[in-house]
Amino acid sequence: MKFSIKDQALSQSKINELKNNYETKTENNIIRHALSKSKISDICYVSEAEKDTDNKFSIELKTMSVCNQKQSGRCWIFAGLNILREKVAEKLNLKSFELSQNYIAFYDKLEKLNYALSSVMELIDHQHDERTLAYILTNGIGDGGQWDMFANLVKKYGVCPKKAMVETAQSSGTRESDQLLNSLLRFFASEAQSLYKQNKIQEIQALKDQCLQKGYNLLANCFSKPVEVFDFEYVDNDGKYHCEKNLTPLSFYDKYLKGTIEQYQSITNSPTEDKPYLQAYTIAYLGNVIEGRQVTHLNLSMERMEELIISQLKDNQPVWFGSDVSYYGDRQNGRWDTKAFDYLSTFDIDMKFDKAKMLDYYQSAMNHAMVISGVNLVDNKPTKWKIENSWGEDVGEKGYYVMSEEFFKTFVYQAVINKKYLNKDELEALEKEIKVYPCYDPMGTLAK
């Protein structure tokens, strides 16, 4: 039997039935009155759950003060640089230190523009509403990213201290510059396809070069010209002044971080039927640096993912990870806890259900990257996690959050682990043929 939308019209009798059923429940009066002056999350908040997410952990790394991505979606860059800055600070005996997020973001946007323009050229004979091309044009060029995209930028362009390329109003608030970049991309697509139909192939390449130049001009004006040479001045914890002169971002990386970025591997927990565990996979048209490493994930069970994360934490090494933070979050107090918000009792609706089905049916996907800097273990089992966020020090515990174990298992999808912790089977899986999923696969979402 097939259903027809024409048979499902909302009749007046059905509306009357809905109204009568609503009015028979007196609790609806209380809920309605409360919501007239309060947010849904406020009236669903369960204060008793706070006792289970106190900011105390059996394994807790001493990491530095949090950063602030402000009105931008650069969390994945902030989280990646937060991992790297700890290594630099340890080598140089520094109490506080930041790497320039703006420097990486500049080249990320430039590479993304080139990647998107080139993708349009590769799909030049596709209709504008064909699913892959439509996805590329709809999603466009944004702030978000994945770990391998970060790694490619660092390997190609290096890193530099924040003082060498500071934030601007535009790097901290990217909405308008993103709109301009995407207008440029979509204009190129429309003109390139018209030229293709006229068999003007050389003009397409020339148009791409013009658009790339316009994009570079926009980025340099918005984010500032990317630093090429700088002096690195710092005072260590012993009060001793140092100055390294005439460094480049690549020489800075080679001196303090050489080989670091290659050590890490992205692992995921996607329990959908199409992604077996111990399989390496990638997503089509997901990337920034065309010649760089493709985004590659190794799919593992949540139990194995947690085991690997804990092993790395026990070695005093923080962990980059990606999660869906759309639900069950207390941003001001710094908690993600599924038990802290009772939507089920209030509305008879729950925001979470089977993890695989949430992925398949577009309820949930990774959308934010942060750093795990601690875990609480009871009988060797995790009960809560300490999270270094990038939303500034005015929220949470000076910017640090607590994530409950139930939230972690439900909404965490990705982590980045040093390859030395992977076992023989996992390393061998990475050597096998990598399966390619379409660009609209839920595991291709970007952390913002």
Side-chain angles (χ1 to χ4, degrees):
M1 174 185 174
K2 289 187 67 177
F3 292 101
S4 170
I5 190 172
K6 294 179 180 179
D7 299 330
Q8 301 298 320
L10 195 57
S11 65
Q12 188 58 52
S13 62
K14 186 64 178 179
I15 293 173
N16 291 336
E17 179 188 341
L18 295 172
K19 176 184 175 183
N20 291 334
N21 289 340
Y22 172 84
E23 291 179 347
T24 59
K25 294 184 177 182
T26 56
E27 62 265 30
N28 283 326
N29 291 327
I30 300 170
I31 295 170
R32 186 175 70 254
H33 298 330
L35 288 175
S36 68
K37 294 288 186 179
S38 305
K39 296 188 298 182
I40 287 177
S41 56
D42 286 342
I43 74 161
C44 294
Y45 188 72
V46 181
S47 60
E48 293 89 343
E50 290 187 21
K51 62 181 175 59
D52 297 323
T53 51
D54 192 18
N55 209 317
K56 302 291 186 296
F57 305 90
S58 59
I59 299 174
E60 186 171 12
L61 280 59
K62 292 182 179 180
T63 47
M64 287 179 275
S65 299
V66 301
C67 305
N68 194 341
Q69 68 187 80
K70 297 187 178 178
Q71 303 302 311
S72 73
R74 299 172 293 162
C75 62
W76 60 290
I77 293 175
F78 276 71
L81 292 178
N82 285 345
I83 296 291
L84 298 184
R85 69 170 176 161
E86 295 289 343
K87 298 182 180 297
V88 175
E90 183 180 10
K91 282 187 176 182
L92 300 179
N93 189 27
L94 300 177
K95 184 177 181 180
S96 63
F97 179 65
E98 275 190 65
L99 292 163
S100 174
Q101 302 92 359
N102 190 18
Y103 176 76
I104 294 294
F106 176 95
Y107 281 114
D108 173 57
K109 287 292 177 67
L110 184 64
E111 290 282 0
K112 279 178 180 169
L113 176 60
N114 184 59
Y115 195 103
L117 295 171
S118 302
S119 298
V120 169
M121 293 171 69
E122 185 168 274
L123 300 169
I124 195 72
D125 58 344
H126 291 227
Q127 292 295 319
H128 68 275
D129 56 355
E130 180 270 330
R131 190 172 185 183
T132 299
L133 181 56
Y135 183 90
I136 290 169
L137 294 174
T138 301
N139 286 271
I141 301 161
D143 294 354
Q146 289 265 4
W147 170 264
D148 284 320
M149 295 165 67
F150 171 75
N152 286 335
L153 293 166
V154 170
K155 288 177 68 175
K156 184 172 181 177
Y157 296 105
V159 293
C160 62
K162 186 169 185 175
K163 290 292 185 182
M165 187 171 174
V166 298
E167 292 287 301
T168 70
Q170 304 309 314
S171 67
S172 296
T174 53
R175 182 180 63 84
E176 291 179 306
S177 60
D178 283 350
Q179 287 178 332
L180 287 165
L181 281 177
N182 284 304
S183 295
L184 186 63
L185 168 64
R186 292 158 188 157
F187 166 79
F188 170 76
S190 66
E191 292 298 305
Q193 289 207 323
S194 295
L195 291 169
Y196 178 76
K197 291 173 183 176
Q198 301 171 55
N199 201 32
K200 295 181 178 179
I201 305 303
Q202 290 183 339
E203 285 88 339
I204 295 174
Q205 183 66 58
L207 179 62
K208 188 243 185 177
D209 293 340
Q210 291 172 19
C211 290
L212 197 59
Q213 184 63 62
K214 290 180 181 181
Y216 185 96
N217 296 348
L218 172 69
L219 293 170
N221 288 333
C222 288
F223 293 177
S224 188
K225 295 187 294 183
V227 63
E228 296 179 2
V229 180
F230 59 91
D231 296 339
F232 177 36
E233 295 180 282
Y234 64 94
V235 177
D236 64 26
N237 277 334
D238 298 323
K240 186 177 179 181
Y241 171 84
H242 304 262
C243 182
E244 299 282 347
K245 290 190 173 294
N246 297 319
L247 292 172
T248 67
L250 279 171
S251 69
F252 182 92
Y253 177 81
D254 286 342
K255 183 166 187 175
Y256 298 113
L257 293 162
K258 188 173 184 179
T260 299
I261 209 77
E262 293 86 355
Q263 298 171 6
Y264 292 98
Q265 172 63 46
S266 168
I267 61 174
T268 61
N269 175 240
S270 177
T272 53
E273 289 185 9
D274 65 330
K275 293 186 181 69
Y277 293 143
L278 271 181
Q279 174 188 277
Y281 67 98
T282 188
I283 308 295
Y285 293 103
L286 175 63
N288 50 4
V289 180
I290 290 175
E291 73 275 21
R293 168 187 164 93
Q294 63 183 346
V295 173
T296 305
H297 304 304
L298 176 64
N299 203 35
L300 300 174
S301 70
M302 177 52 73
E303 290 73 20
R304 179 57 177 157
M305 176 183 277
E306 290 190 332
E307 183 180 319
L308 289 167
I309 291 171
I310 291 169
S311 294
Q312 191 159 307
L313 291 173
K314 284 182 176 178
D315 281 349
N316 203 39
Q317 297 299 314
V319 178
W320 187 107
F321 82 113
S323 175
D324 182 356
V325 297
S326 307
Y327 312 110
Y328 302 101
D330 180 358
R331 178 165 181 157
Q332 189 58 44
N333 293 315
R335 298 169 64 229
W336 281 295
D337 182 5
T338 53
K339 294 179 181 177
F341 298 89
D342 185 4
Y343 301 104
L344 197 58
S345 295
T346 310
F347 300 108
D348 198 23
I349 299 172
D350 206 352
M351 292 201 202
K352 68 182 190 308
F353 43 94
D354 178 79
K355 189 172 185 178
K357 290 181 179 179
M358 286 198 295
L359 285 167
D360 283 340
Y361 291 91
Y362 310 104
Q363 171 68 359
S364 179
M366 189 272 289
N367 56 30
H368 189 49
M370 299 166 285
V371 172
I372 303 171
S373 60
V375 63
N376 192 63
L377 300 178
V378 176
D379 297 327
N380 287 320
K381 299 292 184 182
T383 63
K384 56 187 175 181
W385 303 80
K386 183 178 180 182
I387 309 300
E388 179 183 352
N389 206 351
S390 55
W391 292 346
E393 294 188 347
D394 294 335
V395 292
E397 187 78 18
K398 293 186 177 179
Y400 282 85
Y401 278 55
V402 180
M403 186 176 285
S404 73
E405 167 65 358
E406 183 177 339
F407 184 100
F408 194 95
K409 292 169 82 170
T410 306
F411 292 112
V412 169
Y413 294 102
Q414 181 182 8
V416 174
I417 298 296
N418 193 306
K419 292 177 186 176
K420 70 180 181 181
Y421 299 105
L422 301 179
N423 62 32
K424 180 174 178 289
D425 290 340
E426 290 158 353
L427 291 171
E428 287 180 352
L430 291 170
E431 299 300 320
K432 296 178 181 177
E433 183 177 356
I434 296 174
K435 184 166 183 178
V436 181
Y437 290 88
C439 59
Y440 39 82
D441 187 274
M443 295 308 289
T445 59
L446 301 179
K448 302 175 182 178

